[in-house]
Amino acid sequence: VFRVDWNQDGIMDANEQVQGDIILQANTWYYIAATYDGTAMRFYIDGTLRGTTSISSAAIPASNKPIWIGGNDAWGEYFPGRIDEFRIYNRALSQSEIQNIMNPPTCFALTLSHTGQGSNPVASPANSAGCSAGQFTAGAAINLSGAVPTIGWQISSWTGTNNNASTASTNTVTMPASAHTASVNYTQIEYTLTVNVVGNGVVAKSPNQTTYHYGDVVQLTATPNTGWTFTGWTGDLTGTTNPASVTING
């Protein structure tokens, strides 16, 4: 029986108590839980709901008296058995939460990481029911999102996911029955620098490469042919300075 004297009149009314609907057997351990969520008192035995008493907007009265577990001083009732692992929560647990506490699931850690430059992906949900943050039960379906490459980088692949060849910022993982790591892989974007010459002459690039990365600085030196004069740069590089440098920025 779970009782709360909501109106503090010293009388246990029908809406101030809830009890189970089965008789407990001697020499047997049971997992007992009682909750109140603002609408009803509920009584669970071994994770199964065994009694409900409806009462709305009741407030647990403040008292300087100690909490009695397994008895009460008013009627001299005492429980002739053993009570172990008693817990009090500051909220009403759901039935599934009670069941998970009674029979904790086997949880495995999921580590999320990345290679290259960018952010780690984020798992949703953050954990399986009954598991700590970052831990999941075997077979759990996990959504990954939030993979954002640093500017000049791109997603090239994933590892440890259901679609490792994906270049999208989202993915999924099916949790195995062991600790697992999932990673998003970033690689640098290869940029080309195109130099067009108007008139007769050549432009030398230093360093002279087929592709460049974001932030690379390339020096351009214009050499006009005989009879021609260098007059300036247009496009992503402007001015008349020669040689001049251009920074690769996409």
Side-chain angles (χ1 to χ4, degrees):
V1 179
F2 172 52
R3 296 176 175 137
V4 179
D5 188 7
W6 299 112
N7 57 19
Q8 295 183 279
D9 62 358
I11 300 173
M12 299 310 303
D13 300 318
N15 66 347
E16 295 181 317
Q17 55 189 314
V18 62
Q19 65 183 31
D21 60 354
I22 64 173
I23 298 175
L24 303 185
Q25 302 300 310
N27 302 314
T28 303
W29 282 101
Y30 294 90
Y31 192 89
I32 306 297
T35 66
Y36 177 65
D37 61 2
T39 61
M41 301 169 68
R42 294 181 174 86
F43 195 83
Y44 299 86
I45 300 177
D46 289 337
T48 300
L49 180 62
R50 290 294 186 178
T52 301
T53 298
S54 297
I55 178 169
S56 299
S57 303
I60 297 176
S63 173
N64 293 325
K65 293 183 178 181
I67 296 174
W68 284 76
I69 303 167
N72 76 68
D73 59 347
W75 300 333
E77 297 176 326
Y78 298 97
F79 175 69
R82 296 179 179 179
I83 297 176
D84 190 25
E85 299 185 18
F86 185 82
R87 303 179 183 182
I88 298 177
Y89 293 84
N90 61 359
R91 62 179 179 84
L93 299 181
S94 66
Q95 184 171 9
S96 63
E97 288 177 314
I98 292 171
Q99 293 170 342
N100 286 331
I101 295 171
M102 181 179 70
N103 294 310
T106 301
C107 304
F108 305 97
L110 174 63
T111 300
L112 301 176
S113 62
H114 70 273
T115 62
Q117 294 186 19
S119 63
N120 285 337
V122 177
S124 179
N127 55 275
S128 292
C131 298
S132 301
Q135 296 192 342
F136 301 86
T137 56
I142 306 163
N143 295 314
L144 302 181
S145 62
V148 180
T150 299
I151 188 169
W153 293 71
Q154 62 187 350
I155 298 174
S156 58
S157 64
W158 295 73
T159 54
T161 68
N162 294 335
N163 186 5
N164 288 338
S166 174
T167 58
S169 62
T170 59
N171 214 316
T172 59
V173 170
T174 302
M175 193 67 187
S178 61
H180 187 67
T181 297
S183 178
V184 58
N185 304 311
Y186 301 110
T187 56
Q188 287 183 282
I189 300 173
E190 302 292 333
Y191 298 100
T192 58
L193 175 59
T194 302
V195 179
N196 297 314
V197 177
V198 178
N200 289 331
V202 295
V203 175
K205 297 184 292 184
S206 179
N208 186 15
Q209 301 171 182
T210 303
T211 60
Y212 299 90
H213 297 143
Y214 184 89
D216 285 349
V217 177
V218 184
Q219 179 176 279
L220 301 179
T221 303
T223 304
N225 286 352
T226 302
W228 292 79
T229 301
F230 170 76
T231 58
W233 308 96
T234 59
D236 291 323
L237 177 63
T238 59
T240 58
T241 302
N242 184 36
S245 296
V246 60
T247 300
I248 306 299
N249 58 7

